[in-house]
Amino acid sequence: MWLPRDVPDGVLTGMSISVIGYGNQGRAQALNLRDRGLPVQVGNIDDEYAASARADGFRVLRIPEAVEAADIVVVLIPDEVQPHVFRSSISNALRPGQVVSFASGYNVTYGRVPIREDVDVILVAPRMIGRGVRELFLSNRGFPMLVGVEQDASGEARARAVSLAGVVGADREGGCVLESSFKEETLLDLFSEHAGLIQLLKTSCEVLIEAGCSPEAAILETYGSGELGEIAHAIADLGLVNQLRLHSTTSQFGQLVWGRRWIATETRDLMRRAVASIQDGTFARAWHAEEQAGLVQLHAAWRQQEMAPLFLAEARLYEALGRGGE
Ligand code: NDP
């Protein structure tokens, strides 16, 4: 466990929390916070998410009322709806001295949510899916959290962010609170999506098929066997390079010596361009335009993928293996 040492206990004592949204993160964080003894209520429209919160024993309020009722407003609705919900239900309900906490840096980084100047604006971002946030907490284990401060109206914003991350679950064995910022979290999050594994795995498969491998063998080797998941666990447990000790010597030579040449300067330069397109807002503008246009490119990409030979081969293979679904 690794926490900033200079933040005293009890920073959140006496503060009430409204969790806005009761989905993946909302439910997990609301339950963890309540189990840590903090007064928590939920803000949501009256639908099945609200019913689920009530079934878990929470008081559920409309979003503006939940914002008014709390000292700390934890915003856990999807990033793409936050600008609208802030304008319609959150911004006008905020009052001086409150804390607004986000689990993602995106909307603050790109100035997409209007927030008054006399509240603290903090980032408390789990590096863990909602299910893990709850399950690890229940088994008394922690997970990493990035924290940051965008606006420090109270002079206490950093201490509040660190404390909130701790009580949500980072202060347990296996957890940590790492000081970051909205901008850094946005870059990390988007870059890992843009320069990430999926395109690399897909291209690897396609190149192996071009080289004469069967699609089934290429898929199993590249990601379908489950070995990739085992390696990911080994990386998290032992380290990126250190886990190579679990691989054959041929694999170690291939990965440490021979394979280096294929991640060449061009790849690095393209990754730097991916970073630039996040930092200068090009990606955010393109994504916003795509949302405005009704996700035309995204839907077309899905249709194209579903007809692609690799996807069809994968569907046949996974059906034969009894896998599939979402
Ligand atoms: P979910 O999609 O699970 O959120 C669902 C909740 O949002 C429901 O309560 C839903 O209620 C509410 N919601 C959806 N649309 C609207 C709307 N238009 N107006 C008001 N409420 C709405 O979100 P996540 O938990 O996945 O993400 C929440 C935040 O956490 C995001 O900032 C995300 O980036 C961050 N995050 C998520 C992670 C994850 O594990 N998914 C990991 C780390 C960070 P209803 O439909 O009833 O309105």
Side-chain angles (χ1 to χ4, degrees):
M1 182 179 34
W2 169 26
L3 301 169
R5 295 274 161 230
D6 57 337
V7 175
D9 290 341
V11 169
L12 304 179
T13 306
M15 299 183 91
S16 75
I17 299 181
S18 281
V19 171
I20 309 300
Y22 203 70
N24 295 313
Q25 287 292 330
R27 178 167 191 268
Q29 294 198 27
L31 290 167
N32 289 6
L33 289 165
R34 187 176 65 185
D35 287 353
R36 296 295 288 262
L38 289 158
V40 181
Q41 61 245 326
V42 170
N44 210 91
I45 59 168
D46 201 9
D47 66 356
E48 72 272 21
Y49 287 103
S52 154
R54 276 194 206 97
D56 287 335
F58 287 105
R59 186 162 78 112
V60 181
L61 303 170
R62 289 174 56 248
I63 294 176
E65 287 155 8
V67 170
E68 280 164 18
D71 300 301
I72 304 178
V73 179
V74 180
V75 179
L76 294 174
I77 53 180
D79 292 332
E80 60 273 22
V81 306
Q82 286 177 18
H84 164 70
V85 177
F86 261 79
R87 276 192 297 275
S88 66
S89 310
I90 296 182
S91 297
N92 289 339
L94 285 169
R95 57 186 154 72
Q98 282 179 304
V99 182
V100 184
S101 173
F102 291 85
S104 144
Y106 189 94
N107 285 308
V108 170
T109 294
Y110 295 117
R112 300 191 70 205
V113 284
I115 309 179
R116 53 190 298 153
E117 286 172 4
D118 47 13
V119 300
D120 289 347
V121 179
I122 61 173
L123 175 77
V124 178
R127 285 0 238 170
M128 181 56 60
I129 59 170
R131 193 176 59 183
V133 165
R134 185 60 183 158
E135 284 177 359
L136 285 165
F137 183 91
L138 288 174
S139 55
N140 214 16
R141 283 177 296 147
F143 43 84
M145 282 272 205
L146 295 187
V147 301
V149 174
E150 182 71 13
Q151 197 166 276
D152 185 6
S154 67
E156 290 280 306
R158 174 178 169 269
R160 288 169 170 176
V162 169
S163 302
L164 189 59
V167 290
V168 168
D171 66 355
R172 300 185 161 194
E173 207 49 51
C176 69
V177 174
L178 188 63
E179 296 197 54
S180 179
S181 66
F182 280 79
K183 280 194 178 60
E184 183 179 68
E185 197 275 341
T186 303
L187 174 60
L188 294 166
D189 196 40
L190 293 178
F191 182 77
S192 64
E193 292 162 4
H194 299 183
L197 222 44
I198 303 296
Q199 293 297 339
L200 209 55
L201 293 174
K202 182 167 168 283
T203 309
S204 301
C205 265
E206 287 164 355
V207 168
L208 286 171
I209 294 165
E210 266 169 36
C213 298
S214 73
E216 292 76 11
I219 290 168
L220 285 174
E221 178 60 31
T222 314
Y223 58 84
S225 68
E227 190 184 24
L228 184 64
E230 293 298 323
I231 293 172
H233 280 298
I235 289 173
D237 287 342
L238 304 173
L240 189 61
V241 170
N242 209 27
Q243 59 84 29
L244 287 175
R245 296 180 205 286
L246 304 176
H247 299 231
S248 71
T249 319
T250 313
S251 163
Q252 292 178 23
F253 176 72
Q255 304 209 47
L256 283 178
V257 181
W258 196 254
R260 255 192 332 211
R261 72 197 62 197
W262 312 129
I263 299 294
T265 318
E266 293 93 309
T267 320
R268 203 175 280 266
D269 283 345
L270 284 171
M271 287 185 177
R272 290 189 180 117
R273 279 169 57 188
V275 166
S277 78
I278 295 164
Q279 289 178 326
D280 68 13
T282 306
F283 167 76
R285 283 191 294 279
W287 172 223
H288 187 48
E290 172 73 358
E291 286 178 299
Q292 305 279 53
L295 306 182
V296 177
Q297 295 181 78
L298 183 59
H299 292 319
W302 269 111
R303 279 196 301 279
Q304 194 188 13
Q305 292 308 312
E306 282 164 3
M307 299 310 293
L310 184 63
F311 187 91
L312 298 173
E314 184 195 80
R316 284 193 301 275
L317 176 65
Y318 277 26
E319 193 182 351
L321 295 172
R323 300 189 198 155
E326 295 212 334

